[in-house]
Amino acid sequence: MSGVRFGALCWNQWTDWPSLLEAGVRADRLGYDTLWTWDHLYPIVGDPHGPIFEGWLTLTAWAQATERIRIGLMVGANTFREPTLTVKMATTLDHISNGRAILGIGGAWFGEEHQGFGLEFGDGFPERLRWLGEALPVMRGMLDGTEPTAAGPRYRARRTRNLPAPIQRHLPICVGGGGEKVTLRLVAKYADMNNVGGGVAQVRRKEEILLEHCAAVGRDPAEIERTTGIGTVFIRDDRAEAERIFRQAFERNRVATMWRDQPVGTPEDVAEMLAPYLGLGYRHLIAGIPAAYDEESMTRLITEVKPLLERIG
């Protein structure tokens, strides 16, 4: 896929609804390609004893309020819902958005919210990944209209109809996570998009392993759109001012320790930090945007950083 694409991952924690709604509308207006939020029930960055809005309902409101941007969870928690219900929700979102839905899914990791809400968390990450491995063929089958049956140890479903079908002929599944033995193999088998993070060196390693899994399962890796989280973006002409806004946003989200190696600085600084991803084939860059959804940074990432990267790549 040519060009550089940007996604806006607007944090749905430690915020108010009008601000979160406007952040999504702004991303659409500015020309971001994709719009995401988290599927969590407690805040996951900073203090978990605070407000957070539910992910699917946030997407639904954004779908009504936007016009062209594609919308999904980064990523949905497979443990929260039966995979059949998740597909029904994604399909409904596809109709509400007129064909702009992405089904984001992952194994889930935050034990505290599962305990607090009484949700099954399994006996460890390997079991949750087995559940995800059971869920994905059901999801793909329902989206494709094949009326799949699940008879595994975790899920039971029988010739599940999904009507109406999605507007999109092939509604994409985005699998998030970089687990090298299981998650990336599931990406190779089922995903239309992946999502990994952790910096350039980490993404490079995960990409090598993903290619090995694609070869093992006979999948053309070109069929999988590569996406990566790039951290939180704060842009100013003055580096110290960008750092101040960054710290201010993290304080608002009750984060005690600032994240390191973030794309914070001038447009040139940010472009220089992001350019290596392009060489790895990761051209869909997803920016974390915490409340209060800094408008200047959101704008300059598209109007200034994106043209710089397009000239490079």
Side-chain angles (χ1 to χ4, degrees):
M1 180 175 293
S2 61
V4 179
R5 309 182 73 208
F6 274 102
L9 171 55
C10 298
W11 296 9
N12 46 340
Q13 64 168 51
W14 289 102
T15 188
D16 59 79
W17 174 247
S19 299
L20 181 57
L21 176 61
E22 171 55 27
V25 172
R26 181 187 303 143
D28 186 49
R29 184 172 64 245
L30 289 172
Y32 282 80
D33 296 282
T34 53
L35 175 62
W36 315 82
T37 200
W38 290 324
D39 192 23
H40 285 285
L41 305 171
Y42 288 153
I44 61 169
V45 180
D47 184 1
H49 300 87
I52 188 168
F53 289 102
E54 198 279 325
W56 276 105
L57 289 175
T58 298
L59 299 186
T60 303
W62 277 343
Q64 288 281 70
T66 56
E67 296 180 357
R68 42 138 232 105
I69 198 167
R70 307 200 69 196
I71 299 174
L73 292 173
M74 185 53 67
V75 285
N78 183 57
T79 50
F80 284 4
R81 307 162 193 90
E82 292 289 311
T84 47
L85 177 60
T86 297
V87 170
K88 194 66 174 175
M89 295 168 72
T91 300
T92 302
L93 181 68
D94 204 46
H95 283 263
I96 293 170
S97 65
N98 194 28
R100 294 184 283 133
I102 299 167
L103 198 168
I105 199 71
W109 59 270
F110 190 19
E112 183 177 346
E113 64 188 354
H114 287 77
Q115 183 179 17
F117 280 78
L119 299 170
E120 183 62 48
F121 197 51
D123 61 10
F125 201 56
E127 182 171 46
R128 292 194 298 280
L129 287 179
R130 288 195 294 272
W131 295 349
L132 181 61
E134 265 188 66
L136 281 165
V138 175
M139 291 177 170
R140 185 72 269 163
M142 284 184 65
L143 290 172
D144 293 346
T146 63
E147 298 188 6
T149 292
R154 178 67 178 89
Y155 298 116
R156 298 284 192 275
R158 184 175 179 181
R159 298 185 60 186
T160 309
R161 297 184 300 278
N162 185 38
L163 297 173
I167 289 179
Q168 297 177 76
R169 184 186 64 80
H170 186 84
L171 194 156
I173 294 175
C174 176
V175 175
E180 297 179 1
K181 293 183 178 180
V182 179
T183 304
L184 291 177
R185 186 175 179 87
L186 292 175
V187 170
K189 291 182 69 174
Y190 298 109
D192 303 288
M193 308 167 72
N194 77 334
N195 183 260
V196 293
V200 173
Q202 183 85 316
V203 171
R204 180 180 293 109
R205 174 176 171 80
K206 303 303 182 182
E207 173 65 11
E208 292 171 354
I209 294 169
L210 175 58
L211 292 176
E212 292 174 1
H213 284 304
C214 285
V217 302
R219 179 83 182 277
D220 180 357
E223 296 175 355
I224 303 168
E225 181 178 358
R226 310 301 206 277
T227 83
T228 184
I230 59 174
T232 54
V233 177
F234 292 90
I235 302 171
R236 293 293 189 274
D237 291 323
D238 180 74
R239 291 171 179 167
E241 177 64 7
E243 182 73 19
R244 186 188 72 80
I245 300 299
F246 164 57
R247 290 183 174 276
Q248 186 178 72
F250 269 55
E251 288 167 2
R252 177 192 177 110
N253 281 269
R254 312 303 197 269
V255 180
T257 303
M258 298 297 105
W259 290 0
R260 301 178 62 184
D261 301 321
Q262 298 297 291
V264 175
T266 68
E268 293 76 16
D269 293 335
V270 174
E272 182 179 3
M273 176 174 284
L274 300 183
Y277 290 112
L278 307 186
L280 297 175
Y282 283 71
R283 309 183 69 85
H284 188 160
L285 310 176
I286 299 176
I289 305 177
Y293 316 113
D294 184 60
E295 184 171 2
E296 181 173 345
S297 298
M298 289 183 70
T299 301
R300 298 182 75 174
L301 184 62
I302 297 300
T303 61
E304 299 180 46
V305 175
K306 184 176 181 179
L308 289 172
L309 290 174
E310 288 175 336
R311 286 198 290 271
I312 293 170

